[in-house]
mmCIF file of all heavy atoms in Angstrom:
data_model
loop_
_atom_site.group_PDB
_atom_site.id
_atom_site.type_symbol
_atom_site.label_atom_id
_atom_site.label_comp_id
_atom_site.label_asym_id
_atom_site.label_seq_id
_atom_site.Cartn_x
_atom_site.Cartn_y
_atom_site.Cartn_z
ATOM 1 N N ASP A 1266 3.917 18.735 46.729
ATOM 2 C CA ASP A 1266 3.569 19.100 48.103
ATOM 3 C C ASP A 1266 2.063 19.373 48.155
ATOM 4 O O ASP A 1266 1.616 20.498 47.905
ATOM 5 C CB ASP A 1266 4.358 20.332 48.530
ATOM 6 C CG ASP A 1266 4.136 20.689 49.999
ATOM 7 O OD1 ASP A 1266 3.372 19.966 50.669
ATOM 8 O OD2 ASP A 1266 4.718 21.686 50.460
ATOM 9 N N PHE A 1267 1.296 18.360 48.502
ATOM 10 C CA PHE A 1267 -0.157 18.493 48.538
ATOM 11 C C PHE A 1267 -0.651 19.222 49.785
ATOM 12 O O PHE A 1267 -1.751 19.769 49.792
ATOM 13 C CB PHE A 1267 -0.824 17.110 48.469
ATOM 14 C CG PHE A 1267 -0.551 16.380 47.186
ATOM 15 C CD1 PHE A 1267 0.433 15.407 47.121
ATOM 16 C CD2 PHE A 1267 -1.282 16.654 46.039
ATOM 17 C CE1 PHE A 1267 0.688 14.725 45.943
ATOM 18 C CE2 PHE A 1267 -1.041 15.982 44.855
ATOM 19 C CZ PHE A 1267 -0.048 15.020 44.810
ATOM 20 N N PHE A 1268 0.165 19.249 50.840
ATOM 21 C CA PHE A 1268 -0.298 19.771 52.127
ATOM 22 C C PHE A 1268 -0.139 21.287 52.248
ATOM 23 O O PHE A 1268 -0.684 21.896 53.159
ATOM 24 C CB PHE A 1268 0.452 19.073 53.269
ATOM 25 C CG PHE A 1268 0.239 17.592 53.297
ATOM 26 C CD1 PHE A 1268 1.222 16.723 52.823
ATOM 27 C CD2 PHE A 1268 -0.945 17.056 53.771
ATOM 28 C CE1 PHE A 1268 1.013 15.348 52.835
ATOM 29 C CE2 PHE A 1268 -1.157 15.686 53.792
ATOM 30 C CZ PHE A 1268 -0.175 14.833 53.316
ATOM 31 N N SER A 1269 0.640 21.896 51.341
ATOM 32 C CA SER A 1269 0.840 23.340 51.422
ATOM 33 C C SER A 1269 -0.248 24.117 50.678
ATOM 34 O O SER A 1269 -0.271 25.345 50.718
ATOM 35 C CB SER A 1269 2.212 23.720 50.851
ATOM 36 O OG SER A 1269 2.274 23.371 49.471
ATOM 37 N N LEU A 1270 -1.131 23.408 49.975
ATOM 38 C CA LEU A 1270 -2.179 24.057 49.190
ATOM 39 C C LEU A 1270 -3.438 24.201 50.031
ATOM 40 O O LEU A 1270 -4.147 23.229 50.292
ATOM 41 C CB LEU A 1270 -2.470 23.229 47.932
ATOM 42 C CG LEU A 1270 -1.267 23.050 46.981
ATOM 43 C CD1 LEU A 1270 -1.606 22.040 45.903
ATOM 44 C CD2 LEU A 1270 -0.869 24.373 46.359
ATOM 45 N N GLU A 1271 -3.699 25.418 50.471
ATOM 46 C CA GLU A 1271 -4.826 25.650 51.372
ATOM 47 C C GLU A 1271 -6.174 25.596 50.653
ATOM 48 O O GLU A 1271 -7.169 25.165 51.225
ATOM 49 C CB GLU A 1271 -4.671 27.009 52.062
ATOM 50 C CG GLU A 1271 -3.421 27.118 52.929
ATOM 51 C CD GLU A 1271 -3.301 28.482 53.567
ATOM 52 O OE1 GLU A 1271 -4.223 29.303 53.382
ATOM 53 O OE2 GLU A 1271 -2.289 28.749 54.250
ATOM 54 N N HIS A 1272 -6.192 26.039 49.418
ATOM 55 C CA HIS A 1272 -7.466 26.187 48.723
ATOM 56 C C HIS A 1272 -7.605 25.225 47.542
ATOM 57 O O HIS A 1272 -8.375 25.489 46.632
ATOM 58 C CB HIS A 1272 -7.624 27.625 48.234
ATOM 59 C CG HIS A 1272 -7.461 28.657 49.307
ATOM 60 N ND1 HIS A 1272 -8.404 28.837 50.305
ATOM 61 C CD2 HIS A 1272 -6.462 29.540 49.554
ATOM 62 C CE1 HIS A 1272 -7.995 29.802 51.114
ATOM 63 N NE2 HIS A 1272 -6.821 30.240 50.686
ATOM 64 N N ILE A 1273 -6.866 24.127 47.562
ATOM 65 C CA ILE A 1273 -6.889 23.224 46.416
ATOM 66 C C ILE A 1273 -8.262 22.594 46.219
ATOM 67 O O ILE A 1273 -8.727 22.420 45.086
ATOM 68 C CB ILE A 1273 -5.800 22.125 46.571
ATOM 69 C CG1 ILE A 1273 -5.768 21.228 45.336
ATOM 70 C CG2 ILE A 1273 -6.043 21.297 47.824
ATOM 71 C CD1 ILE A 1273 -5.474 21.948 44.059
ATOM 72 N N GLY A 1274 -8.953 22.268 47.312
ATOM 73 C CA GLY A 1274 -10.288 21.682 47.191
ATOM 74 C C GLY A 1274 -11.254 22.635 46.517
ATOM 75 O O GLY A 1274 -12.025 22.252 45.620
ATOM 76 N N THR A 1275 -11.191 23.908 46.929
ATOM 77 C CA THR A 1275 -12.058 24.926 46.322
ATOM 78 C C THR A 1275 -11.717 25.119 44.854
ATOM 79 O O THR A 1275 -12.613 25.250 44.004
ATOM 80 C CB THR A 1275 -11.905 26.258 47.066
ATOM 81 O OG1 THR A 1275 -12.224 26.074 48.444
ATOM 82 C CG2 THR A 1275 -12.807 27.319 46.474
ATOM 83 N N ALA A 1276 -10.416 25.121 44.523
ATOM 84 C CA ALA A 1276 -9.988 25.308 43.132
ATOM 85 C C ALA A 1276 -10.507 24.193 42.240
ATOM 86 O O ALA A 1276 -11.016 24.447 41.134
ATOM 87 C CB ALA A 1276 -8.467 25.380 43.060
ATOM 88 N N LEU A 1277 -10.380 22.946 42.696
ATOM 89 C CA LEU A 1277 -10.864 21.811 41.908
ATOM 90 C C LEU A 1277 -12.381 21.861 41.757
ATOM 91 O O LEU A 1277 -12.921 21.587 40.674
ATOM 92 C CB LEU A 1277 -10.433 20.498 42.572
ATOM 93 C CG LEU A 1277 -8.947 20.145 42.483
ATOM 94 C CD1 LEU A 1277 -8.654 18.901 43.318
ATOM 95 C CD2 LEU A 1277 -8.538 19.896 41.037
ATOM 96 N N LEU A 1278 -13.062 22.216 42.850
ATOM 97 C CA LEU A 1278 -14.523 22.272 42.808
ATOM 98 C C LEU A 1278 -15.001 23.351 41.842
ATOM 99 O O LEU A 1278 -15.934 23.126 41.050
ATOM 100 C CB LEU A 1278 -15.061 22.548 44.211
ATOM 101 C CG LEU A 1278 -16.551 22.250 44.449
ATOM 102 C CD1 LEU A 1278 -16.866 20.794 44.167
ATOM 103 C CD2 LEU A 1278 -16.917 22.612 45.888
ATOM 104 N N ARG A 1279 -14.347 24.526 41.862
ATOM 105 C CA ARG A 1279 -14.726 25.603 40.943
ATOM 106 C C ARG A 1279 -14.403 25.223 39.499
ATOM 107 O O ARG A 1279 -15.154 25.557 38.586
ATOM 108 C CB ARG A 1279 -13.987 26.891 41.331
ATOM 109 C CG ARG A 1279 -14.377 27.430 42.696
ATOM 110 C CD ARG A 1279 -15.684 28.221 42.641
ATOM 111 N NE ARG A 1279 -16.208 28.486 43.980
ATOM 112 C CZ ARG A 1279 -15.784 29.448 44.785
ATOM 113 N NH1 ARG A 1279 -14.803 30.251 44.402
ATOM 114 N NH2 ARG A 1279 -16.340 29.608 45.974
#
Side-chain angles (χ1 to χ4, degrees):
D1266 185 0
F1267 297 99
F1268 299 103
S1269 63
L1270 300 171
E1271 298 179 4
H1272 306 289
I1273 183 60
T1275 302
L1277 288 174
L1278 197 59
R1279 295 279 168 80

